[in-house]
Amino acid sequence: MASKFWTQGGSDTEEEETDIEDEIENGGAGEATAAAAGSRYLQANASDSDDSDGQKRVVRSAKDKRFEEMASTVDQMKNAMKINDWVSLQESFDKINKQLEKVMRVTESDRVPNLYIKCLVMLEDFLAEALANKEAKKKMSSSNHKALNAMKQKLKKNNKQYEELINKSRENPESEEEKFEEEEEEEDEDESGSELEDPSQIPESSDEDDEGEELDDDAGDGAWEKKLSKKEKLMDREFKKDPSEITWDTVNKKFKEVMAARGRKGTGKFEQVEQLTFLTKVAKTPAQKLEILFSVISAQFDVNPGLSGHMPINVWKKCVQNMLVILDILVQYPNIVVDDMVEPDENETQKGADHDGTIRVWGNLVAFLERIDNEFFKSLQCIDPHTREYVERLRDEPLFLVVAQNVQEYLERIGDLKSAAKVALRRVELVYYKPQEVYDAMRKLAELSGDGEKDGDETKVEEARGPSSFVVTPEVVSRKPTFPDNSRALMDILVTLIYKSGDERTKARAMLCDIYHHALFDEFSIARDLLLMSHLQDNIQHMDVSTQILFNRAMAQVGLCAFRVGLIAEGHGCLSELYSGGRVKELLAQGVSQNRYHEKTPEQERLERRRQMPYHMHINLELLEAVHLISAMLLEVPNMAANSLDVKRKVISKTFRRLLELSERQTFTGPPENVRDHVMAATRALCKGDFQKAFDVINSLDVWKLLRNRESVLEMLKAKIKEEALRTYLFTYCSSYDTVSLDQLTKMFDLSDAQVHSMVSKMLVNEELHASWDQPTRCIVFHDVEYSRLQALAFQLTEKLSILAESNERAVEARIGGGGLDLPLRRRDNQEYAPGTGGGGRWPDLSYNQGRQGGSGRTAYSGGGRPMALGQASRDRSSGQSRGTGGYSGRSGSQMDASARMVSLNRGVRG
Amino acid sequence: MATYDLTPRIAPNLDRHLVFPLLEFLQERQLYPDEQILKAKIELLNNTNMVDYAMDIHKSLYHTDDVPQDMVDRRVEVVARLKALEDAAAPLVTFLQNPSAVQELRADKQYNLQMLKDRYQIGPDQIEALYQYAKFQFECGNYSGAADYLYQYRALCTNSERSLSALWGKLAAEILMQNWDIALEELNCLKEIIDSKSFSSPLNQVQSRIWLMHWSLFIFFNHDNGRTQIIDLFNQDKYLNAIQTSAPHLLRYLATAFIVNKRRRPQFKEFIKVIQQDQCSYKDPITEFLACVYVNYEFDGAQKKMKECEEVILNDPFLGKRVEEGNFSTVPLKDEFLENARLFIFETYCRIHQRIDMKVLFEKLNLNYEEGERWIVNLIRNSKLDAKIDTEMGTVIMEPNQPNVYEQLIDHAKALQGRTYKLVGQLLEHAQAQPAR
């Protein structure tokens, strides 16, 4: 782009040359002035080096000498530049760097001399020119060419450390270089001024500059605002002179100029926005206005300093307004087509409003909209959620929804359904996590602010500031979002559109949002069906991280939903995976969890921070933990009681077991404080069959107030606790009883006859309890088939023997190559069986592999992505239970079954 | 009892003509007012060509001899169209009616087409006309004609999509003519096409499966071997998925088939899980009965549901098929169902009890004492039940059947011994073989 300036024509370059010559003259002849200047420098900059008067003279002369050397090197460079000799330029550059070191040492200051910085600026510009000028590059000799490339890299590396200074010197060279004031003024105009003004067009520019300097002197380097006003004045003057004179051409030329400056160092980002905004007002045709508006928005995006920061909020709002204006134009002039596939004709925008036939304008609405959404998201990530600012920011959401809605409508109208689906997804992602109450609040807010007072004012002010624009665009598209009564309806509309015409990723994300939303509204079966039918569990590992997070969120929400509707096992299945790694926060992107064993690189940390969910979208972690632990308790306590002889066998929730062990190891248990303590206290009560106490402890958790239908959930929970208490009681004490009467049980656990009967019957049928009913007396009669300790040990012995036999077989087979034995069949069994008894020899192995596969960043998320144990309720009958039964159906002993089951369960979970 | 009537849910998945038998049945059972049914029939007929029939119904509905003008007009139109189609298809029809000419057709489709074109000047247009004509015949209610023509058409047609719809038409015609054996063949043929990988879109496939299952109800509950086959078809994963996602009401028929069919135990367990899962999306007394017996073990509830099931079966057009025997009619399926259901309850009940009061038991089974005792004695005699009756106490006592711990231990150890011996033998063999080499 820089070439535009440099290659304007022969006369310009001549001018340039004379400039440089002037400088050389000055530099060469004016030693005296340089020396004088140098002293001024020293006084200003290196005051700390003035130790004593006597030394001062010596030092000064040394300094002067260094500066002289440097100046002469600069001259050499200038000469080299003139003849385009990169080889000598490179040499000089190395030289000057060495000299710089000396100078720095001599002056003992950390401030780099301006001379050097100026030289760098000069070099950089020249380099840019040389690179841009391809023809000249071709003509270069090979050594010259090589030197050019080497120079390019060196300069880039070198300039990085002085970046700030260079920028400063580019922005306002005059403020720092008073000594070159006179000669430099013209050059100044050429360099920085060229972006805005053609010197020939504005004769009064020198006055302007003086004024500007004054301002700059006052405000120092942060003076862009004032400068901006100056420049605006300039613009105004330029165009105000006589509006009738302004033609499409002038505007277009100006526009091109401004655009050419984009991204160049020294171009103020805000200024550019201002200039472009001004241009929109003087645009001659709607198409031109549109084109410029697109650039305005791009420029507004440029304002954002980096990836981690967010766009200033006022700029964001203006951006949104601009989008709306764009839509106004597009709706008003249906013959204008926005397209980013083909580079449109140079003069396409010249065609006026009355032109019939399509006018193509370059731009991409969807990309802009997505960017706006991202910026909104980022701003919410950055703002402290506990401040008023955050709430204020949240109020801007309807603004975005308006734009999104309008863009979507526009796209649907022109038949671009694929893009419309993308936009719809953005809308879905703003709505899906909102419970009905929040949704209603947003609707109300939208209606209130939708009256458009604030928005209207803003646009009006803007319009009024400049001269009234040539192309007036009435507000055609509505400035008010329309929402259906409930969020489900909105979701349905959007999601249907996406399913019909979205691409794979859009569809998957929409599906996850849909699942989340269903789960939020307690529709477990629908959410489950969607989850299973979409097969998202199977291929979520192959998706991007943000989608995986969404998947984890949906999973967590489904788990909560299952719990609320009383499906404890399903709920546990959904949540246990999340908690298995102990990094829920990370999986849900709700905060950074510290891991003792695994230090994160700053890079990873930054990435992770960028993924965080804004606070208002969080799933309450305490509630989640409570739900997870309570479901684990309800499943695990009777399970432990049933397998009391060998506790290690058949673990449902490892996390829960570990916590329980920890709490049992404590010598003194205080009153429960956090969620974990509460559940542990409840577990202790439940183990003894004391359902009332267990329930009371759990009831005292204050996370329950987060539930909408708190009463009914607690009611359900109480019933479940009673049931499990009954089961636990029976398991624990069945060996002590010969018969237990039904009436006694009903009284003990405050359950109805039918309930107890049904529960006990279930246990009998599943052979969890070796007993049977005696109907006439309404008693449970226990059969004495529980193994005694001796018998149990005997079983364990046989089991171990069989392992021994197997390993023998394997050894023999390895030796003699498995001939006559019927090994193939048995070997298959072995594989099912061996790891389970070998103390889980397979476990660490597996997880290690997984860790390696995923790579460092991915592991965290692939954890949540694995298919969940929902397989039990799944239609996909190949996973989960059924596979488990397949593995060991051939075995006869019940003991062996159990061990085999553990393995298969693990495999079921692992997928 | 109209609450459990599935006609409104089934009808959308059937052909218009197939709905008639259902309506006839409902009319007979008097579940709905006659008027409503007659109106529904006219609605149905409006889009078919059976105008005469519609006129009759209209007359009986409004008790007049006048017929609305539009019906008369339509009749004229239909007749005219019939003539036109007949003319168009005439060359091919005459060809097909000539037995000696038909002899010339061979298995090779391409050859046939060429031959027809060369010798009889019958091209694709005529063949297409045959299809239209057959379709029209079907709509007029002339099913046998339609079935014949469609059969011929399929032999000649090259368009796979057309061929498929001809097959559907054939199936419908055969069902309406109650040729169950042929219909079953067509059904299997259709199923193969649907299950083939080349079938258009998955969505389309699911929809076709659902139609197929609905249509097959006619066949399975009339064919002798249908009750096994319905399980074979419906219980396939793909079909079961389709049922669960789009037509859970079909679970009723599958459940009934499972109850009536005793030899399907392994699949039955899986099916219970499905029922448990889908309780929220579909429920009727039959599935609830299964849930009571196998999920919740509520025997009182099961007994209540059993009574309701009886009603449901009687009022279901497929399940409640009547057989006339002399001067009174019975519903064979109902008796079979009740017998089996009773057995189900009893079986489960016995498994968890060691002593049962017979009076309570018979109450649960809807039996009187004498009858019940005989029933149980029969069960014991056929060694279906390991139990004894204690008349003094009026109880049945189950024999415990717990495996002995020692036996189990010995079993394990024995297997080990065998394996070790084998291993040693193997080693020795190897050792002997080595020096020889």
Side-chain angles (χ1 to χ4, degrees):
Chain A
M1 286 289 144
S3 63
K4 271 220 168 104
F5 164 54
W6 289 90
T7 56
Q8 255 167 355
S11 62
D12 268 12
T13 34
E14 264 170 46
E15 220 178 84
E16 190 58 37
E17 271 166 30
T18 49
D19 270 3
I20 294 170
E21 268 161 33
D22 278 357
E23 253 176 86
I24 295 167
E25 266 170 44
N26 259 322
E31 299 247 304
T33 45
S39 71
R40 235 198 278 169
Y41 253 123
L42 293 174
Q43 264 158 17
N45 306 329
S47 56
D48 55 338
S49 68
D50 305 348
D51 296 342
S52 67
D53 281 9
Q55 269 187 346
K56 201 175 175 183
R57 275 220 77 78
V58 185
V59 172
R60 195 198 277 174
S61 70
K63 269 181 210 161
D64 284 352
K65 227 160 88 192
R66 300 285 173 232
F67 270 115
E68 268 165 40
E69 274 173 19
M70 214 165 169
S72 73
T73 321
V74 171
D75 285 345
Q76 277 172 16
M77 285 169 93
K78 277 180 187 157
N79 283 329
M81 274 186 207
K82 248 187 281 177
I83 56 166
N84 211 4
D85 181 3
W86 285 95
V87 182
S88 60
L89 203 57
Q90 197 183 354
E91 276 165 19
S92 320
F93 184 66
D94 290 343
K95 200 159 128 199
I96 203 169
N97 274 341
K98 268 183 210 141
Q99 284 165 351
L100 176 72
E101 265 171 46
K102 282 183 199 157
V103 170
M104 298 291 274
R105 214 168 33 233
V106 170
T107 54
E108 290 175 10
S109 83
D110 50 4
R111 200 175 178 292
V112 184
N114 272 324
L115 188 62
Y116 179 73
I117 297 296
K118 274 217 51 104
C119 170
L120 286 184
V121 171
M122 194 173 72
L123 266 174
E124 210 173 66
D125 288 350
F126 185 65
L127 185 76
E129 176 216 358
L131 286 174
N133 194 348
K134 282 191 183 128
E135 275 176 39
K137 222 161 109 183
K138 265 183 214 159
K139 275 186 217 155
M140 273 183 210
S141 69
S142 69
S143 64
N144 209 7
H145 197 258
K146 216 185 268 169
L148 167 66
N149 281 336
M151 194 62 200
K152 188 171 94 185
Q153 267 152 24
K154 257 191 217 162
L155 199 64
K156 206 167 151 198
K157 217 193 270 170
N158 191 50
N159 281 11
K160 220 173 248 168
Q161 40 187 323
Y162 307 112
E163 211 171 350
E164 209 175 311
L165 286 170
I166 290 174
N167 279 347
K168 220 187 271 175
S169 104
R170 269 180 191 283
E171 254 169 72
N172 40 6
E174 64 273 35
S175 75
E176 288 179 12
E177 270 158 66
E178 283 135 324
K179 71 160 178 168
F180 292 130
E181 219 171 56
E182 279 86 30
E183 316 114 66
E184 220 111 292
E185 201 158 67
E186 266 195 330
E187 201 188 323
D188 253 358
E189 267 171 18
D190 283 348
E191 271 189 6
S192 68
S194 67
E195 296 144 13
L196 324 161
E197 51 206 301
D198 228 338
S200 57
Q201 264 188 355
I202 310 159
E204 321 95 310
S205 64
S206 58
D207 296 3
E208 272 306 321
D209 270 16
D210 286 348
E211 196 187 296
E213 266 160 52
E214 272 165 36
L215 283 171
D216 283 351
D217 286 346
D218 293 345
D221 51 13
W224 58 268
E225 268 179 295
K226 300 210 174 146
K227 231 175 154 181
L228 197 135
S229 68
K230 168 192 108 185
K231 268 156 195 164
E232 191 155 300
K233 246 186 270 164
L234 256 177
M235 294 281 266
D236 276 9
R237 192 171 316 137
E238 187 184 328
F239 284 108
K240 224 178 229 167
K241 277 184 294 182
D242 31 38
S244 54
E245 263 179 34
I246 300 171
T247 60
W248 180 84
D249 274 324
T250 45
V251 177
N252 193 41
K253 198 170 160 203
K254 194 92 245 170
F255 172 59
K256 288 273 146 61
E257 248 170 53
V258 177
M259 284 318 289
R262 182 184 175 195
R264 260 175 75 178
K265 285 196 174 150
T267 313
K269 287 161 180 168
F270 280 94
E271 290 162 37
Q272 215 184 12
V273 172
E274 286 297 325
Q275 288 162 17
L276 288 167
T277 320
F278 179 80
L279 279 177
T280 59
K281 283 171 209 148
V282 295
K284 289 303 261 188
T285 63
Q288 188 176 35
K289 183 166 181 181
L290 197 64
E291 193 183 12
I292 299 174
L293 271 172
F294 276 128
S295 310
V296 173
I297 293 180
S298 309
Q300 279 167 336
F301 287 144
D302 283 349
V303 169
N304 181 12
L307 268 172
S308 45
H310 65 89
M311 203 162 143
I313 289 164
N314 53 348
V315 179
W316 186 86
K317 279 187 182 155
K318 272 184 203 149
C319 203
V320 169
Q321 293 309 326
N322 284 332
M323 272 309 266
L324 284 172
V325 177
I326 287 178
L327 285 169
D328 281 337
I329 297 175
L330 286 174
V331 171
Q332 203 186 353
Y333 305 100
N335 57 342
I336 299 179
V337 177
V338 177
D339 199 348
D340 66 340
M341 297 307 282
V342 281
E343 196 71 33
D345 194 15
E346 185 79 352
N347 294 331
E348 189 87 0
T349 52
Q350 195 167 11
K351 295 164 185 166
D354 45 354
H355 175 82
D356 49 288
T358 54
I359 306 174
R360 291 180 172 279
V361 177
W362 189 91
N364 187 344
L365 284 177
V366 181
F368 281 152
L369 191 85
E370 287 183 340
R371 184 73 194 268
I372 291 178
D373 186 31
N374 289 347
E375 293 295 343
F376 182 66
F377 190 81
K378 260 197 263 173
S379 68
L380 286 173
Q381 276 178 333
C382 294
I383 301 171
D384 178 9
H386 303 292
T387 55
R388 218 181 127 60
E389 200 189 349
Y390 192 81
V391 182
E392 288 292 326
R393 186 64 182 143
L394 272 180
R395 281 162 172 264
D396 293 338
E397 201 175 76
L399 273 183
F400 174 75
L401 282 170
V402 178
V403 185
Q405 190 181 350
N406 286 322
V407 171
Q408 193 192 332
E409 275 166 15
Y410 173 74
L411 289 171
E412 276 174 48
R413 202 160 39 221
I414 63 166
D416 187 358
L417 286 178
K418 204 158 185 182
S419 310
K422 273 187 197 157
V423 179
L425 177 67
R426 293 292 167 154
R427 289 175 72 195
V428 166
E429 285 186 16
L430 283 180
V431 175
Y432 78 96
Y433 58 87
K434 289 188 169 71
Q436 187 64 37
E437 293 84 0
V438 180
Y439 179 80
D440 285 340
M442 183 181 72
R443 240 177 70 211
K444 231 172 270 164
L445 174 71
E447 268 160 30
L448 281 179
S449 68
D451 296 341
E453 280 184 340
K454 208 172 73 183
D455 309 358
D457 278 351
E458 226 163 273
T459 42
K460 250 175 249 160
V461 166
E462 225 159 276
E463 295 281 316
R465 217 162 46 188
S468 62
S469 48
F470 294 117
V471 183
V472 185
T473 43
E475 294 191 357
V476 186
V477 293
S478 75
R479 297 305 202 239
K480 203 169 168 182
T482 47
F483 292 118
D485 276 345
N486 62 50
S487 47
R488 190 64 248 163
L490 181 62
M491 285 290 284
D492 279 339
I493 297 167
L494 295 173
V495 161
T496 339
L497 174 78
I498 296 171
Y499 291 160
K500 256 187 221 148
S501 42
D503 56 18
E504 279 310 310
R505 179 174 183 270
T506 315
K507 271 197 267 188
R509 285 189 76 94
M511 179 66 87
L512 287 171
C513 293
D514 204 12
I515 291 168
Y516 188 104
H517 192 261
H518 275 298
L520 203 61
F521 280 68
D522 280 354
E523 287 158 342
F524 176 74
S525 57
I526 300 177
R528 180 197 61 196
D529 286 356
L530 281 177
L531 194 64
L532 292 174
M533 279 191 287
S534 58
H535 291 286
L536 277 170
Q537 287 176 311
D538 304 337
N539 44 26
I540 191 72
Q541 289 105 315
H542 310 299
M543 298 197 185
D544 56 323
V545 173
S546 127
T547 310
Q548 288 183 359
I549 292 172
L550 187 60
F551 176 82
N552 290 339
R553 280 165 59 75
M555 225 40 203
Q557 198 57 250
V558 171
L560 287 179
C561 167
F563 180 80
R564 283 195 300 260
V565 297
L567 299 164
I568 303 294
E570 280 84 350
H572 180 256
C574 294
L575 297 180
S576 63
E577 193 87 13
L578 272 180
Y579 276 88
S580 61
R583 41 212 230 188
V584 202
K585 276 186 187 170
E586 200 176 320
L587 291 177
L588 294 176
Q590 296 191 164
V592 187
S593 53
Q594 297 298 326
N595 197 332
R596 240 182 304 163
Y597 309 108
H598 179 68
E599 233 10 84
K600 279 180 207 135
T601 62
E603 182 65 19
Q604 277 176 338
E605 225 160 277
R606 216 170 317 129
L607 273 176
E608 202 178 318
R609 197 152 304 132
R610 218 175 294 154
R611 297 196 271 264
Q612 293 300 305
M613 285 288 146
Y615 184 72
H616 66 288
M617 292 168 77
H618 282 195
I619 298 171
N620 187 291
L621 286 175
E622 276 202 355
L623 180 65
L624 202 63
E625 191 184 9
V627 165
H628 168 242
L629 287 178
I630 290 171
S631 6
M633 172 184 85
L634 288 175
L635 296 173
E636 191 68 85
V637 168
N639 177 39
M640 288 190 313
N643 302 311
S644 53
L645 264 184
D646 189 356
V647 188
K648 285 277 176 280
R649 198 149 284 167
K650 199 183 166 190
V651 176
I652 295 175
S653 168
K654 278 204 154 184
T655 329
F656 182 79
R657 282 282 174 98
R658 208 177 49 238
L659 288 179
L660 193 62
E661 258 169 46
L662 277 179
S663 86
E664 270 166 3
R665 225 179 286 155
Q666 280 172 343
T667 38
F668 172 71
T669 42
E673 277 170 8
N674 54 18
V675 174
R676 219 174 269 181
D677 293 347
H678 275 85
V679 177
M680 287 307 133
T683 308
R684 279 192 292 276
L686 195 59
C687 282
K688 289 178 203 126
D690 186 353
F691 73 91
Q692 190 59 47
K693 193 176 165 207
F695 177 72
D696 287 345
V697 172
I698 284 188
N699 194 19
S700 67
L701 279 174
D702 52 1
V703 287
W704 299 124
K705 68 172 184 280
L706 297 169
L707 289 177
R708 203 180 309 130
N709 42 1
R710 176 184 167 184
E711 295 302 316
S712 61
V713 169
L714 285 175
E715 199 68 23
M716 177 278 298
L717 200 57
K718 189 166 188 181
K720 291 279 174 200
I721 289 178
K722 277 183 199 168
E723 284 177 13
E724 298 308 331
L726 168 68
R727 278 159 57 83
T728 314
Y729 180 84
L730 283 177
F731 280 134
T732 317
Y733 298 109
C734 63
S735 52
S736 325
Y737 285 97
D738 203 12
T739 59
V740 178
S741 93
L742 181 65
D743 300 326
Q744 193 192 344
L745 285 179
T746 53
K747 223 179 286 161
M748 219 158 145
F749 292 98
D750 189 24
L751 288 164
S752 73
D753 267 9
Q755 272 172 308
V756 174
H757 193 274
S758 152
M759 295 278 317
V760 175
S761 302
K762 221 180 277 185
M763 289 165 75
L764 298 183
V765 170
N766 295 337
E767 288 178 358
E768 291 171 323
L769 205 60
H770 299 282
S772 49
W773 285 107
D774 188 62
Q775 198 224 345
T777 51
R778 289 160 60 87
C779 276
I780 308 168
V781 182
F782 292 99
H783 303 307
D784 193 19
V785 290
E786 288 300 315
Y787 302 131
S788 67
R789 183 153 173 74
L790 177 68
Q791 286 162 341
L793 287 175
F795 270 114
Q796 278 178 20
L797 181 67
T798 52
E799 206 172 292
K800 281 186 179 145
L801 280 176
S802 72
I803 296 167
L804 190 67
E806 250 153 40
S807 54
N808 272 340
E809 271 167 18
R810 236 175 301 156
V812 169
E813 185 202 359
R815 222 29 198 292
I816 61 176
L821 279 180
D822 53 338
L823 278 178
L825 183 129
R826 194 167 291 157
R827 202 160 57 210
R828 224 177 301 128
D829 277 12
N830 292 350
Q831 274 163 358
E832 293 275 318
Y833 173 72
T837 45
R842 198 176 222 163
W843 261 100
D845 198 37
L846 251 184
S847 54
Y848 176 65
N849 275 343
Q850 203 116 29
R852 266 212 318 218
Q853 268 169 16
S856 47
R858 286 274 300 229
T859 30
Y861 299 98
S862 62
R866 264 177 273 135
M868 304 274 179
L870 213 80
Q872 285 170 350
S874 119
R875 265 133 209 216
D876 201 352
R877 248 168 270 106
S878 65
S879 69
Q881 281 196 336
S882 62
R883 197 192 296 178
T885 47
Y888 57 82
S889 54
R891 299 256 157 201
S892 50
S894 61
Q895 293 265 330
M896 286 188 169
D897 281 3
S899 65
R901 189 179 294 138
M902 189 180 109
V903 179
S904 339
L905 264 180
N906 292 343
R907 298 169 100 228
V909 171
R910 294 219 159 249
Chain B
M1 278 308 288
T3 40
Y4 296 120
D5 182 34
L6 289 181
T7 318
R9 297 179 75 168
I10 291 177
N13 293 303
L14 293 175
D15 190 85
R16 272 174 189 285
H17 297 259
L18 291 173
V19 184
F20 274 108
L22 302 189
L23 288 181
E24 293 284 347
F25 181 86
L26 290 180
Q27 195 173 12
E28 202 179 302
R29 293 294 305 173
Q30 312 239 307
L31 281 183
Y32 299 99
D34 251 6
E35 238 170 81
Q36 239 176 329
I37 290 186
L38 288 177
K39 267 188 190 153
K41 276 187 177 174
I42 291 188
E43 278 288 300
L44 268 181
L45 290 169
N46 268 345
N47 284 328
T48 69
N49 295 332
M50 296 153 82
V51 191
D52 287 337
Y53 188 34
M55 283 176 178
D56 288 343
I57 293 173
H58 185 87
K59 281 178 200 159
S60 70
L61 175 58
Y62 299 106
H63 306 290
T64 59
D65 281 342
D66 305 329
V67 178
Q69 189 57 39
D70 55 335
M71 278 194 183
V72 178
D73 292 348
R74 186 153 162 72
R75 194 189 141 77
V76 176
E77 192 187 312
V78 165
V79 171
R81 182 144 167 69
L82 182 65
K83 265 266 164 314
L85 282 171
E86 208 172 347
D87 289 345
L92 193 54
V93 172
T94 44
F95 164 78
L96 292 169
Q97 274 162 356
N98 180 358
S100 59
V102 173
Q103 290 280 311
E104 290 174 38
L105 289 177
R106 295 195 200 158
D108 184 5
K109 214 180 247 183
Q110 226 52 45
Y111 166 83
N112 286 343
L113 288 178
Q114 197 59 42
M115 192 266 293
L116 281 177
K117 200 170 187 182
D118 294 347
R119 295 181 40 195
Y120 298 91
Q121 286 80 47
I122 295 173
D125 288 346
Q126 274 79 21
I127 296 176
E128 172 64 21
L130 181 70
Y131 173 77
Q132 296 295 350
Y133 184 55
K135 188 161 177 253
F136 202 79
Q137 286 280 349
F138 179 79
E139 276 170 10
C140 290
N142 180 6
Y143 304 124
S144 66
D148 287 346
Y149 292 137
L150 283 173
Y151 176 73
Q152 316 268 25
Y153 173 76
R154 269 178 54 72
L156 293 173
C157 115
T158 47
N159 181 346
S160 67
E161 210 170 298
R162 263 290 152 73
S163 164
L164 186 65
S165 60
L167 198 53
W168 281 106
K170 180 93 177 6
L171 176 61
E174 296 296 347
I175 289 174
L176 286 163
M177 287 189 298
Q178 311 203 335
N179 291 335
W180 305 125
D181 285 326
I182 304 175
L184 192 62
E185 272 168 38
E186 302 292 341
L187 184 77
N188 287 331
C189 182
L190 204 51
K191 175 174 174 287
E192 256 165 47
I193 295 179
I194 292 173
D195 287 344
S196 68
K197 286 222 170 71
S198 56
F199 205 75
S200 55
S201 70
L203 202 67
N204 213 337
Q205 207 168 17
V206 169
Q207 188 58 54
S208 301
R209 282 198 183 120
I210 288 182
W211 283 339
L212 191 74
M213 283 190 279
H214 278 97
W215 292 31
S216 71
L217 290 176
F218 286 100
I219 304 168
F220 288 144
F221 285 103
N222 285 303
H223 196 269
D224 296 333
N225 205 10
R227 285 171 211 159
T228 331
Q229 284 173 345
I230 190 175
I231 297 177
D232 290 343
L233 178 70
F234 283 26
N235 209 35
Q236 280 175 25
D237 271 356
K238 287 173 196 162
Y239 286 83
L240 202 54
N241 281 344
I243 291 178
Q244 286 180 305
T245 47
S246 312
H249 52 268
L250 289 176
L251 285 176
R252 172 193 288 185
Y253 300 103
L254 188 54
T256 315
F258 265 120
I259 293 174
V260 175
N261 211 321
K262 275 165 264 177
R263 285 167 310 183
R264 293 282 172 175
R265 276 309 154 88
Q267 294 160 10
F268 187 59
K269 281 220 175 96
E270 291 288 321
F271 180 67
I272 295 292
K273 267 183 217 150
V274 173
I275 292 231
Q276 195 177 352
Q277 222 179 82
D278 276 77
Q279 259 170 340
C280 49
S281 58
Y282 178 74
K283 229 193 261 190
D284 77 10
I286 298 181
T287 61
E288 278 173 328
F289 167 77
L290 284 179
C292 276
V293 179
Y294 286 100
V295 180
N296 301 325
Y297 304 98
E298 271 178 54
F299 300 100
D300 295 332
Q303 181 204 350
K304 252 180 244 149
K305 291 291 165 201
M306 215 163 94
K307 276 184 196 143
E308 285 176 32
C309 287
E310 203 174 330
E311 286 291 313
V312 171
I313 290 175
L314 285 180
N315 286 328
D316 190 286
F318 299 106
L319 303 176
K321 198 188 69 159
R322 287 164 184 284
V323 176
E324 305 287 335
E325 271 179 40
N327 45 7
F328 64 98
S329 68
T330 56
V331 179
L333 197 92
K334 184 194 85 175
D335 301 334
E336 219 173 314
F337 179 89
L338 290 183
E339 171 73 20
N340 278 305
R342 204 174 285 149
L343 203 61
F344 275 173
I345 297 182
F346 182 62
E347 247 176 33
T348 320
Y349 204 71
C350 288
R351 256 172 77 189
I352 55 170
H353 281 81
Q354 74 165 19
R355 210 151 57 106
I356 307 169
D357 190 338
M358 286 208 281
K359 262 186 214 141
V360 181
L361 179 65
F362 298 149
E363 215 171 89
K364 282 203 195 335
L365 298 175
N366 295 339
L367 287 173
N368 65 31
Y369 194 89
E370 300 285 311
E371 218 181 329
E373 196 171 338
R374 195 174 313 130
W375 191 64
I376 286 179
V377 169
N378 272 332
L379 280 179
I380 295 173
R381 281 185 45 172
N382 296 336
S383 62
K384 275 186 182 167
L385 186 67
D386 199 4
K388 295 256 160 21
I389 295 177
D390 183 347
T391 327
E392 188 189 344
M393 307 284 288
T395 54
V396 185
I397 301 167
M398 306 294 149
E399 302 288 328
N401 57 346
Q402 292 297 334
N404 192 319
V405 184
Y406 299 106
E407 270 173 30
Q408 284 180 32
L409 263 177
I410 290 168
D411 271 354
H412 284 204
K414 242 185 198 162
L416 280 176
Q417 189 193 18
R419 280 163 73 181
T420 316
Y421 270 124
K422 243 183 191 171
L423 197 66
V424 171
Q426 177 101 22
L427 264 178
L428 286 176
E429 223 171 78
H430 186 71
Q432 280 164 2
Q434 207 113 49
R437 206 192 294 160

